[in-house]
């Protein structure tokens, strides 16, 4: 792990140095032994980063609000009753996740907002809109599915009450977990006029092309399959093979079918994996009665995902018949392919050109809060390079230099959006 840069006592509050010090400090919250973080939504580690953000924001003159689904907003009011430009990302992580995914976007947004605040004070020029930094609840969806939850409730895509009732694998609901860490807010969230987010690319395009930043033109089409394989529990010693209804044997064929279906399409047109897989009762001498799994299907072309899903449903029905067991398949978390507004893409390109940096347009295959916000307001989504294109794992890495560059561009974009 890179040694956190020692805080220079005389460093300006919004300086690059202070930004890096604070970023590397947050990366120690929920730190794992292999340079990653484990800060799943509403765990005590998530609470610690929320508390850190609240004290940082209040210490720098922001008003902090928490809404009913646990989204946190650090608000700067320049113009009474004017709507807000929202900038931000998420502080929650995947299990054994990376230090940069989400956290980079929140901390750079805090510093970009602080710089806008300082510039407004210095210039005496009143912006057109207000500015708020947001830490979205449960972007990752590792503990509570579906992912991109808090921003989808804010954007009106998900129903608040339905999401508050979602439970984790232990049966704890979102509502209970929010109350347990004291972030079951009741504040009215700021009304957004536009949204901007900066994030690590999580792929290897920028690195391969030695390009400083990316700007997102479109988001992928995706859906998940909730697959429940229901066999029969029995003794692994005393039960004749002909009498077994082994959910894990059939389930394993389903996992392979989800992987192998990608070969039916042009190279990389479809990406798919089963990421979550729970065996019950998971005892060494019991034939498994149930396997619950979630498959994630994504493509730039909606027709590919739909065709893959239909093919998979047929193959899974054949597996169920062959094993004489029940397999239930439910579609969920379907997200349409969407394009980001051209004006926002050009705004990012202009901000980057002003800094003498290089930029390229690309599609995002990873989900982001900007994908939800793009349904509600004009959104701008930018990327900085990921070393080796690795993410959702402890090896995830982005250099201090790239992080500072992205902060500079986000500050320019936020300044433009508030009309400063
Ligand atoms: O869905 C996604 O890709 C995100 O990481 N939650
Ligand atoms: Mn993310
Ligand atoms: Mn992620
Ligand atoms: Mn994401």
């Amino acid at each position: 792990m890179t040694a956190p840069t020692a805080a220079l006592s005389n460093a300006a509050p919004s300086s690059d140095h202070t930004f890096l010090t604070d970023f590397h400090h947050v990366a120690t919250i929920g730190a794992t032994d292999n340079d990653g973080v484990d800060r799943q939504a509403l765990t005590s580690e998530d609470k610690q980063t929320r508390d850190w953000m609240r004290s940082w924001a209040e210490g720098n003159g922001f008003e902090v609000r928490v809404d009913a689904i646990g989204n946190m907003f650090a608000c700067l009011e320049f113009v009474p009753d004017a709507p807000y430009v929202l900038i931000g990302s998420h502080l929650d992580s995947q299990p054994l996740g990376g230090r940069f995914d989400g956290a980079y976007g929140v901390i750079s947004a805090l510093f970009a907002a602080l710089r806008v605040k300082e510039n407004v004070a210095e210039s005496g020029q009143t912006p057109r809109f207000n500015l708020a930094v947001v830490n979205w609840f449960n972007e990752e969806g590792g503990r509570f599915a579906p992912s991109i939850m808090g921003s989808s409730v804010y954007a009106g895509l998900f129903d608040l009450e339905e999401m508050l009732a979602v439970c984790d694998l232990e049966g704890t609901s979102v509502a209970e977990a929010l109350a347990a860490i004291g972030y079951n807010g009741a504040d009215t969230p700021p009304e957004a006029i536009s949204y901007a987010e900066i994030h690590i690319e999580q792929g290897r395009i920028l690195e391969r092309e030695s390009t400083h930043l990316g700007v997102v033109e479109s988001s992928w089409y995706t859906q998940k399959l909730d697959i429940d394989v229901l066999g029969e529990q029995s003794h692994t010693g005393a039960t004749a093979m002909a009498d077994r209804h082994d959910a894990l044997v059939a389930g394993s064929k389903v996992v392979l079918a989800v992987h192998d279906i990608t070969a039916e399409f042009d190279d990389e047109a479809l990406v798919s994996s089963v990421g979550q897989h729970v065996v019950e009762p998971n005892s060494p001498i019991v034939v498994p009665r149930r396997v619950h799994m979630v498959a994630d299907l994504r493509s730039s072309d909606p027709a590919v995902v739909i065709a893959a899903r239909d093919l998979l449903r047929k193959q899974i029905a054949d597996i169920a018949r062959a094993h004489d067991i029940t397999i239930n398949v439910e579609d969920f978390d379907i997200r349409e392919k969407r394009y980001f507004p051209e004006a926002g893409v050009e705004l990012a390109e202009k901000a980057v050109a002003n800094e003498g940096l290089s930029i390229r347009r690309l599609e995002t295959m990873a989900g982001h809060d900007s994908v939800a916000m793009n349904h509600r307001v004009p959104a701008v989504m930018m990327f900085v390079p990921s070393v080796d294109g690795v993410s959702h794992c402890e090896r995830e890495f982005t250099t201090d230099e790239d992080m500072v560059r992205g902060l500079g561009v986000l500050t320019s974009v936020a300044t433009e959006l508030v009309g400063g």
Side-chain angles (χ1 to χ4, degrees), residues 108-119:
S108 54
L110 288 169
F111 275 78
L114 186 56
R115 292 178 180 182
V116 169
K117 178 171 177 261
E118 289 169 348
N119 296 342

Side-chain angles (χ1 to χ4, degrees), residues 62 73-78 82-88 109 113 116 127-134 136 154 190-197 347 373 377-380 410-420:
F62 292 68
F73 301 88
C75 306
L76 290 173
E77 185 180 76
F78 300 121
Y84 282 76
V85 171
L86 294 190
I87 59 176
V116 169
R128 289 179 58 211
F129 303 116
N130 296 317
L131 181 60
V133 176
V134 53
W136 295 111
Y154 178 90
E191 188 221 333
I193 183 90
S194 60
Y195 178 74
E197 178 170 355
L347 172 59
M373 285 303 286
V377 292
V380 186
L410 180 67
T411 306
S412 309
V413 167
T415 303
E416 278 292 307
L417 289 174
V418 296

Side-chain angles (χ1 to χ4, degrees), residues 121-374:
E122 253 161 58
S123 68
Q125 235 186 344
T126 308
R128 289 179 58 211
F129 303 116
N130 296 317
L131 181 60
V133 176
V134 53
N135 164 30
W136 295 111
F137 160 65
N138 190 33
E139 191 277 346
E140 291 294 10
R143 179 183 177 194
F144 298 105
S147 61
I148 316 181
M149 191 181 276
S151 49
S152 294
V153 168
Y154 178 90
L157 299 173
F158 287 174
D159 173 75
L160 170 63
E161 293 313 319
E162 247 180 74
M163 293 302 120
L164 287 171
V166 164
C167 289
D168 63 11
L169 293 176
E170 277 68 51
T172 305
S173 72
V174 165
E176 289 161 340
L178 280 168
I181 65 164
Y183 278 89
N184 49 324
D187 298 329
T188 308
E191 188 221 333
I193 183 90
S194 60
Y195 178 74
E197 178 170 355
I198 197 159
H199 200 283
I200 55 170
E201 180 200 336
Q202 300 176 297
R204 54 175 78 225
I205 296 172
L206 296 179
E207 181 185 59
R208 197 176 51 216
E209 297 180 1
S210 310
T211 305
H212 292 125
L213 285 109
V215 57
V216 175
E217 266 189 319
S218 60
S219 52
W220 76 136
Y221 183 97
T222 182
Q223 76 156 78
K224 294 187 177 64
L225 290 174
D226 181 297
I227 302 169
D228 222 1
V229 183
L230 303 170
E232 198 174 277
Q233 197 163 317
S234 59
H235 195 298
T236 52
T239 313
M241 288 310 284
D243 295 338
R244 296 186 187 198
H245 298 278
D246 189 327
L248 186 50
V249 170
S252 305
K253 290 184 181 172
V254 170
V255 170
L256 291 175
V258 169
H259 172 270
D260 297 348
I261 197 100
T262 54
E264 302 288 327
F265 303 89
D266 296 344
D267 56 346
E268 295 291 315
L270 174 78
V271 291
S272 65
S273 271
V274 169
Q276 194 171 60
H277 182 277
V278 179
V279 180
E280 286 179 11
N282 204 26
S283 160
I285 54 172
V286 175
V287 174
R289 68 164 177 204
R290 179 179 180 237
V291 174
H292 178 260
M293 62 182 93
V294 174
D296 183 7
L297 309 175
R298 303 189 187 196
S299 173
S300 179
D301 177 355
V304 166
V305 171
I306 292 164
R309 177 201 57 201
D310 295 347
L311 258 176
L312 266 175
R313 280 181 170 278
K314 282 200 193 80
Q315 291 173 1
I316 293 170
D318 293 346
I319 294 168
R321 242 188 318 281
H323 289 261
D324 185 20
I325 60 171
T326 305
I327 306 182
N328 298 320
V329 182
E330 295 284 321
D331 298 335
F332 80 103
D333 200 8
I334 297 171
R335 294 196 185 251
E336 304 295 331
K337 181 180 177 82
R338 284 178 67 84
Y339 289 85
F340 283 71
E342 178 63 16
V345 173
E346 287 171 8
L347 172 59
E349 289 172 331
K350 198 177 108 203
V352 168
N354 292 345
E355 313 254 341
L357 301 171
S358 55
I359 188 167
R360 61 108 75 208
R361 298 182 175 208
L362 35 72
E363 173 165 63
T364 182
M365 291 298 280
H368 298 290
D369 295 305
S370 61
V371 168
M373 285 303 286
N374 193 29

